[in-house]
Amino acid sequence: MHRGIGLAFQLCGKMAATGAEPQILVQYLVLRKDLSQAPFSWPAGALVAQACHAATAALHIHRDHPHTAAYLRELGRMRKVVLEAPDETTLKLLAETLQQKNIDHKLWVEQPENIPTCIALRPYPKEEVNQYLKKFRLFK
């Protein structure tokens, strides 16, 4: 079972008991910027596809987590933030950090080329993951 599920249920129960607003959940994606530049020069559509693959995989892998279930119940209110990593090394270092800190995520590796392209976190309250992502800027 997923880490933090008990805590998520406790938080949801406390919010319901106090009448507090539900948490705003965000799915963060970190996409490699260098893939859009020479020597790679991937078209925008290929990069968008990588982010879509990573996001879909993260949602599927963590589909039983209460945050993911809540996020998917509100399709019209989904929030995603796409950030950029300058290169493969930076993306892999982020994946290692997230793994060490038990932050649920999926590192998407494009096959058959075996190229790490994007990290997608499962939906999180932004306060829980901001510290790991604050050095990354919005993808342009």
Side-chain angles (χ1 to χ4, degrees):
M1 195 120 239
H2 298 284
R3 295 174 294 280
I5 289 181
L7 178 60
F9 279 120
Q10 289 173 2
L11 290 173
C12 290
K14 287 179 185 175
M15 288 181 351
T18 62
E21 289 295 315
Q23 290 180 312
I24 295 173
L25 299 170
V26 179
Q27 186 177 30
Y28 287 94
L29 296 103
V30 183
L31 184 60
R32 279 180 54 188
K33 180 65 175 175
D34 65 325
L35 293 175
S36 67
Q37 303 160 342
F40 301 103
S41 301
W42 288 18
L47 292 174
V48 170
Q50 298 305 302
C52 291
H53 291 324
T56 303
L59 290 170
H60 179 70
I61 291 166
H62 302 287
R63 66 190 172 276
D64 295 327
H65 192 283
H67 286 158
T68 303
Y71 182 80
L72 293 173
R73 274 195 302 274
E74 298 288 333
L75 292 178
R77 292 184 168 178
M78 284 185 179
R79 294 181 183 205
K80 285 187 175 44
V81 175
V82 182
L83 305 170
E84 63 182 39
D87 53 37
E88 180 178 346
T89 300
T90 306
L91 192 72
K92 286 182 169 180
L93 286 172
L94 175 60
E96 288 176 20
T97 299
L98 296 174
Q99 183 71 32
Q100 291 168 359
K101 301 299 181 179
N102 294 319
I103 303 297
D104 294 334
H105 68 283
K106 172 64 178 167
L107 172 62
W108 186 259
V109 179
E110 181 64 7
Q111 296 298 333
E113 299 88 353
N114 204 37
I115 299 173
T117 60
C118 187
I119 290 174
L121 279 63
R122 69 156 168 84
Y124 273 94
K126 65 181 182 177
E127 302 80 27
E128 288 186 31
V129 294
N130 268 352
Q131 62 185 325
Y132 308 111
L133 303 170
K134 63 185 172 187
K135 75 176 187 175
F136 298 97
R137 63 183 198 186
L138 290 175
F139 191 91
K140 293 183 182 180

